[in-house]
């Protein structure tokens, strides 16, 4: 059974036809799977009228998950072949209750003396709801009430015969770190993605499972109400890759989400209730379509931001660019102008007849944003490439965004530097790369925020660099950027501004807040608060120069690229 293939290449067709998302698998222990489902089916729902069993009220889609997880336990080696479950399912689809009863089933199936089990959620209410579901099921079953000892004040359930215990608690990285577990369930991992210490804690938790061949980790979560970040983004990406056959792994991916094209389509096919059954497997049981429609209509009346947040939780629609009420108008069209090949600067330069540079930021608490805009040779569209630098101290001073910044570092769109000045050197390297291609204008080629021009000016005009003073200009900020802001949004809306679609730029575009100044608009760091927008401001600086319709300098360096 080495190299178990857990991919599900027909997942879109399965969603459309209402079939479960667990692929057909030849597993070594179907008897154990049947026994687990038998136990799971007898557990009762304490907060539902008539307290039905899971066999009566539960869905086959979840039973299949239970079966596969336990049928993968090899009877000869006692090793579990499916070590992890990643279930992405919207709210109100029996997520927390199903997870709690899954862990109760595991406690009852376990044969290891004093085996530790853990169920944890990021907020107190999640942990309380999970414990209530497990405790309620035990209280409704006389056999379980005798077999299991419930310690309410510690939210712990102990098996009287084996001594195994299930702890249910709020996620605390300091407590989770170092725990050894035979089985663990993480509820709402998307919230953990925002916690700086969560990644280390999850690494430790997985490490704590290694001594036990039968150990498993179940992650059950909705989509994030912001762009995915941190450990959640890592696990989501891994699950998608396994589902799509891009990699092997022992994680069972069960993702109730619309195909990418449906989520990105400007006509919003995900907004049509006729499609909602694709991603709500418990529809008609724990949730009614009429209730969903009413809630969606109510949120839509509050604006696009409210609608998208609701959809992220109840339809698993992934948020890329945040669309708050005072957003920049170009944010609505940003994700519709992506060409991922433009993440490579050389690709942009190859396609461009001229290129200009915008630079912004650079304080120890800021990002240093760099934008290169090239004018495409035949179409004359504007092609944009972005990068940012930050001093490592920002991870300590801005802990609330540290995990997200580390995601950008891993993607290669943000570079952490150890010493002030290393970022300026790197920016100058890029500028000289463009100059050496003969694409930089002889004048007004590099637009810089006046507040941070000195170090950059000194580096670029040094004898080693050879950039002239005429090529560098301080771009007025505040309401004086109104023209560039308006030009950018018109270009984006018209499909004439194309970019690489990086997560970094999706984030900063979503962070930008507009401050109306009479007939003008301003986007400032003050209005955006702690959120970073430096790479967007560098974009406006570059737009200010490209709007002047520049021509490239004489290509005296072109011989090096012939």
């Amino acid at each position: 059974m080495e190299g178990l293939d857990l991919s599900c290449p027909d997942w879109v067709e399965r969603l459309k036809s209402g079939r479960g998302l667990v692929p057909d698998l030849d597993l070594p222990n179907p008897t154990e799977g049947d026994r687990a489902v038998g136990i799971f089916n007898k557990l009762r729902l304490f907060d539902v009228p008539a307290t039905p069993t899971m066999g009566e009220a539960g869905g086959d889609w979840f039973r299949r998950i239970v079966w596969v997880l336990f049928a993968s336990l090899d009877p000869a080696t006692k090793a579990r072949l499916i070590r992890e479950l990643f279930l992405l399912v919207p709210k109100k689809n029996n997520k927390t209750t199903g997870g709690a009863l899954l862990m109760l089933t595991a406690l009852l199936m376990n044969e290891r003396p004093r085996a530790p089990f853990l169920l944890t959620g990021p907020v107190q209410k999640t942990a309380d709801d999970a414990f209530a579901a497990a405790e309620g099921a035990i209280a409704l079953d006389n056999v379980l009430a005798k077999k299991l000892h419930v310690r309410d004040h510690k939210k712990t359930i102990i098996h009287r015969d084996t001594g195994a215990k299930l702890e249910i608690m709020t996620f605390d990285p300091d407590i989770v770190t170092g725990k050894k577990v035979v089985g663990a369930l993480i509820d709402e991992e998307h919230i953990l993605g925002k916690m700086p210490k969560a990644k280390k804690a999850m690494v430790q938790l997985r490490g704590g499972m290694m001594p036990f061949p039968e150990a498993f980790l179940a992650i059950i979560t909705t989509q994030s109400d912001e762009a995915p970040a941190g450990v959640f983004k890592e696990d989501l990406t891994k699950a998608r890759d396994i589902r799509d056959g891009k990699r092997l792994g022992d994680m069972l991916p069960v993702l109730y989400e619309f195909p990418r094209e449906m989520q990105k389509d400007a006509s919003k096919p995900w907004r049509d209730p006729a499609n909602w059954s694709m991603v709500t497997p418990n529809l008609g049981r724990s949730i009614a379509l009429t209730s969903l429609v009413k809630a969606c209509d109510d949120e839509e009346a509050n604006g696009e931001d409210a609608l998208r947040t609701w959809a992220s939780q109840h339809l698993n629609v992934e948020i890329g660019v945040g669309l708050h009420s005072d957003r920049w108008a170009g944010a609505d069209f940003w994700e519709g102008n992506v060409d991922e090949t433009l993440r490579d600067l050389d690709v942009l330069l190859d396609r461009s007849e001229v290129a200009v540079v915008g630079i912004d930021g650079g304080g120890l608490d800021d990002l240093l944003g760099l934008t290169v805009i090239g004018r495409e040779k035949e179409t004359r569209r504007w092609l944009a490439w972005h990068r940012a630098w930050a001093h490592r101290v920002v991870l300590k001073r801005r802990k609330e965004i540290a995990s997200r910044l580390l995601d950008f570092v891993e993607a290669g769109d943000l570079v952490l530097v150890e010493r002030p000045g290393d970022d300026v050197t790197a920016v100058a390297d890029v500028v000289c790369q463009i100059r050496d291609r003969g694409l930089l204008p002889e004048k007004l080629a590099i637009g810089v925020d006046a507040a941070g021009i000195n170090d950059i000016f000194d580096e670029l005009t040094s004898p080693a660099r050879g950039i002239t003073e005429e090529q560098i200009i301080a771009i007025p900020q505040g309401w004086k950027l109104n023209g560039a802001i308006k030009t950018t949004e018109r270009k984006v809306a018209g499909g004439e501004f194309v970019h690489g679609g990086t997560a970094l730029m999706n984030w900063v575009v979503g962070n930008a807040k507009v401050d109306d100044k009479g007939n003008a608009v301003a986007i400032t760091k003050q209005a955006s608060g702690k959120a970073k927008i430096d790479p967007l401001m560098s974009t406006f600086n570059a737009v200010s120069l490209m709007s002047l319709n520049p021509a490239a300098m004489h290509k005296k360096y072109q011989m090096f690229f012939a």
Side-chain angles (χ1 to χ4, degrees):
M1 298 298 294
E2 291 294 328
L4 192 63
D5 183 2
L6 298 177
S7 66
C8 188
D10 61 341
W11 65 274
V12 176
E13 289 73 21
R14 285 173 176 261
L15 285 176
K16 291 178 178 178
S17 64
R19 297 163 58 205
L21 295 181
V22 178
D24 299 326
L25 298 168
D26 181 18
L27 296 175
N29 206 337
T31 301
E32 189 79 350
D34 291 343
R35 189 163 77 93
V37 170
I39 292 173
F40 182 80
N41 279 342
K42 291 179 181 178
L43 299 176
R44 290 187 173 275
L45 298 172
F46 82 103
D47 57 351
V48 177
T51 61
T53 64
M54 287 301 295
E56 297 166 333
D60 288 337
W61 69 276
F62 200 93
R63 268 189 286 274
R64 177 65 177 167
I65 293 172
V66 174
W67 187 89
V68 166
L69 191 60
F70 289 93
S72 72
L73 185 66
D74 191 314
T77 65
K78 301 299 182 181
R80 198 178 303 274
L81 301 181
I82 297 177
R83 298 274 288 185
E84 296 193 19
L85 161 69
F86 187 91
L87 172 58
L88 183 73
V89 65
K91 288 183 180 296
K92 307 302 180 184
N93 280 273
N94 195 43
K95 179 178 61 64
T96 298
T97 297
L101 299 186
L102 168 65
M103 294 306 293
L104 189 56
T105 299
L107 182 67
L108 293 166
M109 295 280 291
N110 167 71
E111 297 178 354
R112 181 181 292 274
R114 298 184 177 275
F117 291 85
L118 173 68
L119 191 161
T120 182
V123 295
Q124 185 67 43
K125 185 180 185 306
T126 300
D128 289 345
D129 289 347
F131 181 75
E135 180 187 37
I138 294 168
L140 290 168
D141 189 307
N142 291 331
V143 174
L144 293 185
K146 294 178 182 178
K147 186 171 293 189
L148 302 173
H149 173 48
V150 179
R151 303 178 69 183
D152 296 82
H153 63 293
K154 290 192 174 182
K155 288 188 170 56
T156 301
I157 300 169
I158 302 173
H159 196 295
R160 297 183 189 275
D161 296 334
T162 65
K165 67 177 180 179
L166 169 62
E167 292 183 274
I168 300 176
M169 64 177 68
T170 305
F171 185 88
D172 184 333
D174 294 331
I175 295 176
V176 172
T177 296
K179 271 191 173 294
K180 292 184 177 181
V181 292
V182 170
L185 187 145
I186 309 295
D187 198 351
E188 295 292 33
E189 190 193 31
H190 74 90
I191 299 178
L192 270 56
K194 306 171 187 178
M195 298 181 181
K197 295 182 179 180
K199 182 175 181 178
K200 179 180 178 181
M202 290 294 287
V203 169
Q204 292 282 338
L205 187 61
R206 285 180 164 107
M209 295 168 53
M210 293 182 67
F212 311 113
E214 76 276 26
F216 70 90
L217 171 65
I219 298 168
I220 303 181
T221 182
T222 62
Q223 184 53 264
S224 176
D225 56 1
E226 299 177 1
V231 66
F232 170 65
K233 181 181 179 181
E234 288 185 3
D235 287 335
L236 176 62
T237 300
K238 178 180 178 181
R240 285 172 173 166
D241 285 349
I242 293 174
R243 176 196 64 187
D244 298 340
K246 296 179 179 179
R247 64 189 287 187
L248 292 175
D250 55 10
M251 173 188 281
L252 177 66
V254 184
L255 296 97
Y256 283 92
E257 61 179 356
F258 292 113
R260 179 180 174 86
E261 56 270 21
M262 286 185 66
Q263 296 198 45
K264 298 299 182 182
D265 191 327
S267 66
K268 298 180 186 175
W270 55 263
R271 176 62 182 85
D272 185 353
N275 293 322
W276 291 357
S277 61
M278 293 174 62
V279 296
T280 51
N282 234 46
L283 196 65
R285 297 184 184 90
S286 59
I287 189 170
L289 182 60
T290 53
S291 299
L292 277 179
V293 171
K294 182 181 184 304
C296 182
D297 290 343
D298 289 345
E299 294 302 321
E300 189 169 31
N302 294 326
E304 182 70 15
D305 185 33
L307 173 63
R308 295 264 297 249
T309 299
W310 180 89
S312 72
Q313 299 299 285
H314 296 273
L315 300 176
N316 276 346
V317 174
E318 182 174 324
I319 289 179
V321 176
L323 299 180
H324 44 81
S325 58
D326 51 356
R327 64 188 178 274
W328 170 51
D332 294 64
F333 308 97
W334 186 260
E335 292 181 285
N337 291 270
V338 173
D339 178 349
E340 293 185 358
T341 67
L342 294 176
R343 296 180 185 182
D344 185 336
L345 178 58
D346 283 325
V347 170
L348 181 147
L349 298 180
D350 288 342
R351 291 166 55 179
S352 300
E353 60 186 9
V354 65
V356 296
V357 176
I359 305 170
D360 184 273
L364 290 184
D365 287 353
D366 291 326
L367 308 184
L368 175 58
L370 172 67
T371 301
V372 178
I373 295 181
R375 192 171 63 222
E376 199 166 26
K377 293 174 184 176
E378 296 180 4
T379 68
R380 296 182 66 82
R381 292 186 307 171
W382 293 3
L383 313 179
W385 177 88
H386 301 92
R387 183 143 297 170
W389 289 260
H391 194 280
R392 189 170 292 276
V393 73
V394 76
L395 299 178
K396 295 181 179 180
R397 295 186 178 181
R398 294 288 181 263
K399 291 182 179 180
E400 68 276 9
I401 59 173
S403 61
R404 194 173 297 279
L405 294 179
L406 289 173
D407 288 341
F408 303 147
V409 171
E410 186 174 347
D413 302 315
L414 174 66
V415 179
L416 293 178
V417 298
E418 300 294 339
R419 298 179 305 170
D422 289 348
D423 48 358
V424 173
T425 300
V427 167
D429 289 341
V430 173
V431 173
C432 289
Q433 179 183 351
I434 303 168
R435 186 271 314 278
D436 292 349
R437 294 286 295 265
L439 297 176
L440 207 63
E442 293 188 9
K443 295 182 179 181
L444 305 180
I446 305 155
V448 184
D449 178 359
I453 196 172
N454 291 339
D455 290 346
I456 294 168
F457 181 88
D458 291 344
E459 177 67 23
L460 290 175
T461 57
S462 67
R465 300 294 187 178
I467 300 296
T468 66
E469 294 184 18
E470 291 78 12
Q471 289 178 295
I472 307 171
I473 182 173
I475 304 294
Q477 302 295 298
W479 64 267
K480 294 181 180 180
L481 264 181
N482 176 67
I485 294 171
K486 293 291 187 181
T487 296
T488 309
E489 64 191 46
R490 285 196 301 270
K491 290 283 187 179
V492 171
E496 299 174 42
F497 183 106
V498 187
H499 57 90
T502 64
L504 168 67
M505 287 307 298
N506 287 345
W507 181 61
V508 299
V509 166
N511 289 340
K513 294 182 178 181
V514 170
D515 184 12
D516 290 316
K517 300 285 187 181
N519 293 327
V521 297
I523 295 176
T524 64
K525 297 173 186 178
Q526 291 77 15
S528 300
K530 293 181 179 180
K532 300 301 179 185
I533 62 170
D534 308 87
L536 180 61
M537 301 307 292
S538 69
T539 299
F540 296 143
N541 292 342
V543 166
S544 297
L545 301 183
M546 187 56 77
S547 299
L548 301 176
N549 194 29
M553 63 190 294
H554 179 64
K555 299 185 178 180
K556 57 186 176 183
Y557 301 95
Q558 197 67 35
M559 66 182 74
F560 297 112
F561 298 91

